[in-house]
Amino acid sequence: MSSMEHTQTATNAEQQLPIRYAPTAVTDDAAEAGPRRILVLGATSGIAEATCRLWAARGDHLFLVARNADRLHVVAADMRVRGAGYVDTAVADLDDTTKHAELLAHAVNSLAGLDLVFVALGVLGDARESERDFAEANRILQTNFVSVVSLLTWLGNYCAQRHHGTLAVLSSVAGDRGRKSNYVYGSSKAGLSAFVAGLRNRIDREGVRVITIKPGPVKTAMTAGMDIKSGMADVDDVAATLVKVIDKGSDVVYVPGKWRIIMAIIRAVPEFLFKKLNL
Amino acid sequence: MPMDPETAPVRPPFESWGRYPSYDATLKPLYWQGDFPGALAGAHSGALPVGMGRSYGDVCLLKEGTLLPTTAMNRLLDFNAETGLLTAEAGITLAQILDFAVPRGYFLPVTPGTKYVTLGGAIANDVHGKNHDVAGSFGNHVPCFELVRSDGTRMLCSQKENPDWFAATIGGMGLTGLITWAQLRLQPIVSRMIDYQGIQFHGIDEFLDLKKQYEQVAYTVSWVDCVSTGKNFARGIFMLGDHSKVPAQLTTTPKPKLVFPFNAPGFALNRASVSLFNTFFFHKQMKPHVSTLQDYEPFFYPLDKVLHWNRMYGKRGLLQFQYAIPWEHAKEGTEAILKEIAKSGLASFLAVLKTFGDIPSLGMMSFPQAGIMFALDFPIKPNISFPLMQRLGDMTLEFGGRLYPAKDACMTAPQFQAFYPKWQQFTRYKDPALTSSFWERVTASEGAAR
Ligand SMILES: Cc1cc2nc3c(=O)[nH]c(=O)nc-3n(C[C@H](O)[C@H](O)[C@H](O)COP(=O)(O)OP(=O)(O)OC[C@H]3O[C@@H](n4cnc5c(N)ncnc54)[C@H](O)[C@@H]3O)c2cc1C
């Protein structure tokens, strides 16, 4: 891929600069430990893109995977310009699980190892359609659950064998309780949350951090058509939180944090009452 | 928690900075360069790309139409650290560009008085800054951009390629198509700091003398007291600055935390309070001449510290009046207009006086032209404000000047057509799917062909 060359020219150019134009150093601890090798699955999702910008700014190495080539292309360009130490990409439809092993091996090879994986693929789907037509429900489950299980199986084993790495997986508060308004999406995320919890339980002792991320509604392309009265979270704020918690290696993260409390309350409502509510 | 994607269009408020006029529109945000022209599907009453809505009037509004906010299209596409040539998507804000560029030793070539505008919006209004005399307007620093038309045509525009589309789009008020990305030539800096000087003056003559005396300084702007009469008539402070040549900090600016919290009641801004403010402001600078090192933020963006300061004008909003009058009539025109304003009893906090140099704008419809530029904000008092704006517009025309569409909510079709005689030529480049409330207004009457 030409991305390698691109990165190298940028580095050389910076080195030739007179010292006063040198970029100011990023000073947080994680960056001082040297660049990390990060694989991002679903790199053109709003949350992934915003988070990658912060990683890029501290010089991390990125391997970006997404379905749409044009979008992936501009996201990769953005990361290079922002300072990523290395950027490589692969266009892939991750619904096709038969290609996963090859793709992941290629990514690991390109990055020369793996420190962090951000699993950000997912679709909201059409909730009404998914009630009527299993094809739509299946599509949602395939992308949000089945595909991610396939990816995490490979990645979990890879990291466990090496006793190294962090897997950060984007689930959703919608998985905390099934609601009439989007239970197919919700159940795909519920299944995912359960899977990730089990994986953590299995490989944490191998020295692999597994993080479940549960965002509330965030202002991105995915939520563009939504009419939500209470303000949606700003994607840049969410990204800043994610960079911090992923560095820290937490287990289950709600972003913004208030959703931990909201969901605790929603989970506590007894079912006989819950089924009467319009959520 | 994710809820249903609504099939109905979203209608969150989209206001321009002046908060007048106010119209309903459907919002269809663009996230990717390829989203246009597909986003036009169903846009029956026309559409218009919009940036941060930092224009004051209705160039960025479309009554009952479809607005296409571009701010999610904010990616950096290329940067040459040696030449300072930056390529970015058009929805990126100047604030975001500064966050990227300043730590790398670069600054915007030209900047308006707020950094919360998009690259696309800055091109579409061909904005000017305090350095117009030496740098021209924004478009002079844009080597090329991509323009996408509603029929799907994509054009690379520069002074060599599609030069007529280049000229029509710079200052083209979003009407020629969507600017998807653009190149911008940044200028090198070695410090965040500005070598600043503030000098008191009394009257337009003194102002012009100062201007001549400090010809070689990059950034100049003046605040004028437009309330006082008699011996204090047209007193003001001449503010000038250059990027400091002493290597120092090149860091990003922290996000502002101060938000103007509510709509001020209508009585808060009156002649008495403004007069008090002006006297305070004039004498805040204790000596007739001060000179100091100042951070670039307060120098370029004194008001950005307070997000939504436009709420200070209350729910009704504000009107801005901004003209450029050529040298020939610059002084008499400015004095006559200042007198007319003082006579009206309306008061303005923000009266800004500066000069435009003679570097020609590249845009067919660009506002800047050599001479004096004057801008002020008025609170809306229907019985006084609108007739006054009308009179001031006519006076501007008489003195051979023109008003700035980006700051306007009042100019009439005959005024506009006289200010911008190339408007008919411009209509050839207008995209049939795009229009704005401004455009409808200034081309509507007098049997003007559209
Ligand atoms: C406090 C303050 C100070 C200011 N100071 C100055 C100043 O010193 N000098 C000056 O010149 N102006 C000044 N302005 C005005 C401001 O710079 C301009 O109105 C600017 O164009 C606003 O940019 P925006 O991104 O908010 O665009 P909007 O106001 O949202 O839109 C402006 C125009 O750009 C078009 N547009 C936006 N994006 C695109 C795109 N991608 N493709 C095609 N068309 C597009 C829109 O259709 C519209 O016609 C000031 C405004 C404020 C609020």
Side-chain angles (χ1 to χ4, degrees):
Chain A
M1 238 175 226
S2 65
S3 48
M4 191 65 170
E5 279 161 40
H6 197 116
T7 312
Q8 250 140 31
T9 10
T11 315
N12 288 342
E14 271 164 23
Q15 278 161 1
Q16 284 158 16
L17 284 175
I19 207 74
R20 62 181 192 279
Y21 291 160
T24 44
V26 186
T27 49
D28 55 81
D29 299 342
E32 271 160 22
R36 286 167 313 161
R37 297 157 296 177
I38 307 177
L39 166 62
V40 185
L41 299 159
T44 55
S45 89
I47 294 179
E49 191 184 356
T51 312
C52 284
R53 281 184 180 179
L54 301 176
W55 287 327
R58 61 186 198 190
D60 288 342
H61 293 193
L62 301 171
F63 190 99
L64 309 173
V65 184
R67 209 189 302 242
N68 182 307
D70 288 346
R71 295 178 183 184
L72 185 58
H73 177 75
V74 294
V75 170
D78 188 46
M79 299 312 154
R80 286 189 189 106
V81 176
R82 284 173 198 275
Y86 171 80
V87 181
D88 195 359
T89 60
V91 178
D93 181 350
L94 294 172
D95 282 353
D96 184 356
T97 54
T98 62
K99 303 266 170 61
H100 283 183
E102 190 192 341
L103 173 82
L104 294 171
H106 170 65
V108 167
N109 200 22
S110 170
L111 286 172
L114 203 55
D115 301 310
L116 169 62
V117 183
F118 188 30
V119 184
L121 66 144
V123 290
L124 195 53
D126 181 336
R128 294 295 84 75
E129 186 64 17
S130 70
E131 292 165 11
R132 278 190 298 269
D133 183 357
F134 173 68
E136 177 65 4
N138 198 27
R139 187 178 79 92
I140 296 171
L141 291 168
Q142 177 66 41
T143 305
N144 295 358
F145 182 66
V146 178
S147 299
V148 180
V149 167
S150 160
L151 294 163
L152 284 175
T153 302
W154 194 99
L155 290 163
N157 292 335
Y158 175 88
C159 292
Q161 267 167 24
R162 281 158 189 78
H163 306 286
H164 175 75
T166 299
L167 305 176
V169 185
L170 213 51
S171 186
S172 167
V173 294
D176 279 14
R177 190 152 193 182
R179 296 167 307 114
K180 69 180 220 176
S181 56
N182 68 347
Y183 56 87
V184 176
Y185 175 82
S187 58
S188 73
K189 292 297 193 179
L192 180 59
S193 293
F195 179 86
V196 173
L199 184 66
R200 171 165 49 243
N201 196 224
R202 186 192 123 209
I203 63 174
D204 185 77
R205 65 203 66 190
E206 307 293 341
V208 184
R209 297 257 154 278
V210 182
I211 306 173
T212 315
I213 298 160
K214 296 185 177 181
V218 180
K219 243 179 274 160
T220 63
M222 192 200 216
T223 54
M226 286 188 197
D227 180 19
I228 293 179
K229 312 274 176 311
S230 65
M232 283 201 258
D234 180 77
V235 73
D236 292 328
D237 294 342
V238 167
T241 308
L242 290 188
V243 167
K244 270 192 221 130
V245 297
I246 291 172
D247 281 348
K248 235 175 51 192
S250 330
D251 293 329
V252 181
V253 182
Y254 285 81
V255 268
K258 67 175 180 190
W259 284 96
R260 184 180 293 278
I261 299 156
I262 299 173
M263 293 320 296
I265 297 167
I266 289 183
R267 276 197 313 269
V269 180
E271 193 62 24
F272 76 88
L273 217 129
F274 195 78
K275 70 182 180 193
K276 303 245 185 325
L277 297 178
N278 262 325
L279 284 166
Chain B
M1 123 183 21
M3 310 209 174
D4 310 317
E6 294 256 329
T7 38
V10 216
R11 291 200 164 190
F14 186 93
E15 280 184 335
S16 70
W17 192 248
R19 313 182 82 195
Y20 174 87
S22 152
Y23 298 127
D24 270 357
T26 302
L27 295 193
K28 280 208 188 156
L30 304 177
Y31 289 89
W32 305 95
Q33 292 170 37
D35 289 355
F36 184 84
L40 295 176
H44 299 303
S45 8
L48 182 71
V50 292
M52 290 288 281
R54 248 49 173 198
S55 301
Y56 280 69
D58 52 1
V59 275
C60 60
L61 299 178
L62 180 55
K63 190 177 184 177
E64 261 127 52
T66 301
L67 295 181
L68 309 166
T70 56
T71 50
M73 258 169 54
N74 62 7
R75 299 168 190 94
L76 298 170
L77 303 177
D78 192 45
F79 177 62
N80 184 326
E82 276 155 289
T83 60
L85 199 60
L86 178 76
T87 311
E89 288 183 331
I92 196 168
T93 64
L94 299 189
Q96 290 164 336
I97 293 180
L98 287 169
D99 278 348
F100 173 81
V102 171
R104 289 167 173 80
Y106 282 102
F107 200 78
L108 298 164
V110 162
T111 176
T114 172
K115 59 179 179 168
Y116 299 118
V117 307
T118 62
L119 178 57
I123 297 171
N125 276 331
D126 194 15
V127 301
H128 56 267
K130 296 176 170 59
N131 57 349
H132 188 275
D133 304 85
V134 297
S137 52
F138 199 85
N140 293 77
H141 306 272
V142 175
C144 67
F145 54 79
E146 184 190 59
L147 182 71
V148 180
R149 301 271 294 172
S150 62
D151 63 8
T153 317
R154 310 178 80 92
M155 270 182 277
L156 181 71
C157 302
S158 68
Q159 280 181 285
K160 290 221 177 71
E161 279 176 270
N162 299 305
D164 49 339
W165 290 94
F166 184 73
T169 302
I170 292 174
M173 299 170 283
L175 301 169
T176 61
L178 177 77
I179 303 164
T180 48
W181 58 260
Q183 248 179 22
L184 184 63
R185 221 178 287 113
L186 302 174
Q187 58 165 324
I189 52 167
V190 296
S191 161
R192 287 180 58 94
M193 305 308 278
I194 300 290
D195 277 321
Y196 169 82
Q197 297 181 68
I199 306 169
Q200 292 177 342
F201 64 85
H202 290 85
I204 303 298
D205 283 324
E206 267 187 53
F207 160 74
L208 291 173
D209 284 349
L210 283 170
K211 180 65 214 170
K212 204 167 280 155
Q213 195 181 331
Y214 291 97
E215 216 163 28
Q216 72 298 351
V217 178
Y219 301 102
T220 58
V221 69
S222 295
W223 167 84
V224 230
D225 179 351
C226 60
V227 176
S228 300
T229 48
K231 76 171 178 24
N232 285 336
F233 176 68
R235 67 174 173 178
I237 297 173
F238 185 66
M239 298 175 271
L240 55 161
D242 265 318
H243 291 286
S244 166
K245 303 274 185 316
V246 185
Q249 246 187 17
L250 288 170
T251 47
T252 50
T253 308
K255 270 192 178 178
K257 295 228 167 59
L258 209 58
V259 178
F260 199 84
F262 53 84
N263 291 316
F267 58 78
L269 275 185
N270 54 37
R271 205 179 159 77
S273 66
V274 171
S275 174
L276 201 70
F277 170 86
N278 284 357
T279 301
F280 170 75
F281 195 88
F282 186 79
H283 292 291
K284 190 178 74 161
Q285 169 167 335
M286 308 287 272
K287 286 179 279 180
H289 190 149
V290 297
S291 154
T292 166
L293 216 55
Q294 185 184 34
D295 191 79
Y296 81 76
E297 282 286 336
F299 180 74
F300 288 110
Y301 315 116
L303 291 164
D304 279 354
K305 240 187 349 207
V306 188
L307 283 173
H308 302 299
W309 59 261
N310 52 343
R311 292 182 187 157
M312 182 174 81
Y313 287 88
K315 269 217 175 75
R316 255 197 207 146
L318 66 144
L319 296 175
Q320 164 123 162
F321 170 73
Q322 178 163 11
Y323 69 63
I325 294 182
W327 285 121
E328 217 190 328
H329 301 295
K331 179 177 173 310
E332 53 163 327
T334 302
E335 285 176 351
I337 283 173
L338 271 167
K339 282 187 184 132
E340 186 68 25
I341 292 166
K343 207 169 75 189
S344 76
L346 271 191
S348 169
F349 270 120
L350 299 166
V352 172
L353 186 64
K354 75 170 260 74
T355 52
F356 280 151
D358 43 23
I359 300 175
S361 290
L362 302 180
M364 191 183 283
M365 300 290 282
S366 292
F367 162 67
Q369 59 176 10
I372 281 189
M373 183 228 87
F374 185 54
L376 35 77
D377 288 350
F378 292 118
I380 295 184
K381 302 223 167 84
N383 295 336
I384 317 173
S385 318
F386 295 106
L388 175 68
M389 295 297 274
Q390 197 57 48
R391 280 202 304 283
L392 298 181
D394 287 341
M395 288 173 78
T396 304
L397 191 55
E398 240 171 79
F399 293 115
R402 55 165 84 125
L403 298 181
Y404 189 12
K407 300 282 186 78
D408 176 77
C410 299
M411 72 172 103
T412 60
Q415 283 176 346
F416 171 78
Q417 292 167 20
F419 292 145
Y420 294 93
K422 287 191 187 149
W423 76 278
Q424 257 161 330
Q425 183 190 341
F426 173 75
T427 51
R428 274 188 254 144
Y429 300 95
K430 193 182 153 290
D431 192 302
L434 304 179
T435 186
S436 66
S437 289
F438 174 83
W439 186 254
E440 300 292 316
R441 174 161 60 83
V442 299
T443 58
S445 48
E446 315 305 308
R450 247 189 277 166

